[in-house]
Amino acid sequence: MNLHEYQGKEMLKSYGVAIQEGIVADTVEEAVDAYNKIKEASGSKFAVVKAQIHAGGRGKGGGVKLAKSEEDIREHAGNILGMMLKTPQTPGGLNGPGKLVSKILIAEDAYVPDFDACKEYYVSVLMDRERKCNVIIYSTEGGMDIEAVAEKTPHLVHKEYIDPTLGLQPFQSRKIAFNLGLSGKAMKEMVRFISSLYKAFVGSDASLFEINPCMHNGNDEIVAVDCKVTLDDNALYRHPDLAAQRDTKEEDPTEVEAKEHGLNYVNLDGNVGCMVNGAGLAMATMDIIKLSGGEPANFLDVGGTADAARVEQAFRIILKDPKVKAILINIFGGIVRCDRVAQGVVDAYKNMGNINVPIIVRLQGTNADLAKTIIDESGLAVHSAILLKEAAELVSQVLED
């Protein structure tokens, strides 16, 4: 689950991380009111208008603008609110439809006392699955072109690995601050910043915290000017306050619908829809699809209770994708009997009545033979298989047809 910038910053602030203060707005008038409040609090007439969408690269797409007056605020807020913002990270990239901006953040001028006196860094915390530990990635070259820095000058990107059982040690925070070239008060501030950031990462069960830029201003303060947060969905039950901040408008609508029906669904770019029970079986099924000459159009796990209603809903979700040219159902009958799944497929097919793509059903496990009989005698245009090899051959066949 992703958070908006303003939500992530509020979380960071609760853990003691210094942030660029701001006020979120839904309309131009709210933006003007927020600007006046920020100007009064900060004493500066400068403010930043920032589009709030779940994507990076907003500045390059025109979603971040500097305002020097109330007139600027009106102009920028009016232009950004309602725009379809396109960045390399929005669906389809710069050639895609973009994302609708419905909220903006009016943020204070964090570059004090002046822009030239400030230095931007990059800091992120995430999990290194290969090493089975957390890692802090940081660089002296923060800002909009961090991807180019990582590609062209990787020696400027540093990593500090953290044993999750021991946690972040003080010497590691000092090492990071030293490698960033800081000293004196700024070094102490960065040490405190890194320590608080890591506490926020662990305390919120996050899978990613990215601060870019992390800014050293002219007053030797370290401030989070931007914030990207991704939370672990599997841990949200421990954080109902964070779960309540989910913005489903920013997510794939088909994935949102699947979640509402208790289905684990991820949209992909292929042409063969797959419906399975179990994540491991789903991965194997996608491999089989690729080996048979197709490309998986989705990951869809119906879980252990694949009754007719659940199967029908899974069908409806898969068929929302116009790229799907065939559907492979691969179920292992352990907890659930294969004949019940087979009957569910037949019932769903009859209820929907408008399935116009080939369906291959492979059922293995409890009552698999009975399940095959149900499918074969249904009179429907459904191909049945018991062996995985048979299912792969049928996928290849229907794609060729």
Side-chain angles (χ1 to χ4, degrees):
M1 171 183 151
N2 293 321
L3 294 180
H4 285 294
E5 174 193 354
Y6 73 93
Q7 295 170 325
K9 281 182 174 177
E10 283 301 311
M11 184 201 300
L12 287 177
K13 186 177 180 180
S14 71
Y15 281 90
V17 177
I19 64 168
Q20 177 195 37
E21 297 287 352
I23 301 172
V24 70
D26 299 329
T27 66
V28 173
E29 291 307 317
E30 286 183 7
V32 171
D33 184 55
Y35 169 74
N36 288 325
K37 289 178 180 177
I38 288 172
K39 182 173 69 172
E40 182 179 354
S42 66
S44 171
K45 65 178 181 179
F46 292 90
V48 186
V49 183
K50 311 177 82 173
Q52 297 298 285
I53 61 170
H54 290 173
R58 293 168 296 164
K60 291 183 177 180
V64 178
K65 295 291 184 180
L66 176 65
K68 302 178 182 179
S69 65
E70 185 175 312
E71 290 72 24
D72 285 351
I73 287 288
R74 287 187 180 277
E75 178 184 352
H76 296 323
N79 291 336
I80 294 175
L81 280 170
M83 77 181 294
M84 295 300 294
L85 181 56
K86 299 180 182 181
T87 83
Q89 295 183 26
T90 52
L94 297 177
N95 296 320
K99 283 194 170 186
L100 176 66
V101 180
S102 57
K103 292 181 183 294
I104 53 176
L105 179 67
I106 310 302
E108 68 179 354
D109 176 18
Y111 292 78
V112 293
D114 61 74
F115 184 85
D116 293 333
C118 302
K119 169 66 177 173
E120 294 181 342
Y121 302 103
Y122 173 88
V123 181
S124 65
V125 191
L126 63 157
M127 180 189 295
D128 187 309
R129 297 185 181 278
E130 183 176 348
R131 290 177 177 246
K132 298 180 178 62
C133 65
N134 296 326
V135 58
I136 296 178
I137 301 176
Y138 59 103
S139 174
T140 56
E141 309 302 308
M144 291 193 293
D145 296 316
I146 185 62
E147 291 83 3
V149 172
E151 180 181 353
K152 298 177 181 178
T153 53
H155 63 282
L156 296 177
V157 179
H158 306 278
K159 296 181 179 180
E160 185 67 25
Y161 295 98
I162 303 161
D163 186 329
T165 60
L166 297 177
L168 177 68
Q169 299 298 298
F171 79 88
Q172 294 178 298
S173 298
R174 292 194 295 270
K175 177 183 174 183
I176 292 171
F178 179 80
N179 286 341
L180 291 174
L182 297 170
S183 61
K185 177 186 175 184
M187 182 171 185
K188 293 179 181 177
E189 289 291 318
M190 180 60 79
V191 169
R192 184 180 299 112
F193 183 95
I194 295 296
S195 176
S196 298
L197 177 64
Y198 188 76
K199 287 178 182 176
F201 175 80
V202 174
S204 62
D205 287 307
S207 55
L208 170 69
F209 262 80
E210 184 179 67
I211 313 300
N212 184 35
C214 168
M215 201 255 299
H216 169 208
N217 66 24
N219 295 327
D220 279 340
E221 298 167 331
I222 307 299
V223 181
V225 176
D226 199 359
C227 177
K228 182 178 181 180
V229 178
T230 302
L231 303 175
D232 185 348
D233 283 356
N234 296 312
L236 284 177
Y237 72 95
R238 293 198 293 224
H239 306 280
D241 56 328
L242 297 178
Q245 297 184 50
R246 180 170 231 131
D247 186 350
T248 55
K249 297 191 296 294
E250 288 290 314
E251 301 177 9
D252 185 307
T254 308
E255 293 182 10
V256 172
E257 181 183 353
K259 190 182 295 291
E260 290 173 352
H261 291 279
L263 301 171
N264 295 310
Y265 174 88
V266 178
N267 189 29
L268 301 174
D269 297 324
N271 57 354
V272 180
C274 54
M275 184 191 309
V276 301
N277 64 333
L281 185 60
M283 301 301 290
T285 302
M286 289 191 284
D287 288 342
I288 285 296
I289 290 172
K290 291 184 71 69
L291 289 172
S292 65
E295 291 290 336
N298 64 269
F299 170 105
L300 195 156
D301 178 7
V302 296
T305 57
D307 55 18
R310 204 175 184 84
V311 170
E312 181 175 341
Q313 190 58 46
F315 268 132
R316 293 186 185 279
I317 287 171
I318 291 174
L319 291 171
K320 286 179 180 290
D321 186 350
K323 301 188 299 295
V324 170
K325 304 303 180 185
I327 298 175
L328 172 58
I329 301 174
N330 190 8
I331 301 290
F332 176 76
I335 298 174
V336 60
R337 297 191 336 241
C338 289
D339 57 310
R340 289 189 61 188
V341 177
Q343 192 60 54
V345 170
V346 172
D347 293 346
Y349 197 110
K350 291 178 178 179
N351 288 340
M352 294 182 68
N354 59 348
I355 300 178
N356 54 8
V357 299
I359 297 174
I360 300 100
V361 181
R362 185 255 178 177
L363 298 168
Q364 187 59 272
T366 307
N367 290 351
D369 293 337
L370 179 57
K372 188 175 188 307
T373 300
I374 292 172
I375 296 293
D376 293 341
E377 295 180 355
S378 67
L380 304 176
V382 178
H383 307 276
S384 65
I386 292 181
L387 299 178
L388 206 51
K389 180 181 178 182
E390 292 179 78
E393 291 172 348
L394 285 169
V395 169
S396 180
Q397 179 182 322
V398 298
L399 288 178
E400 290 175 1
D401 295 343

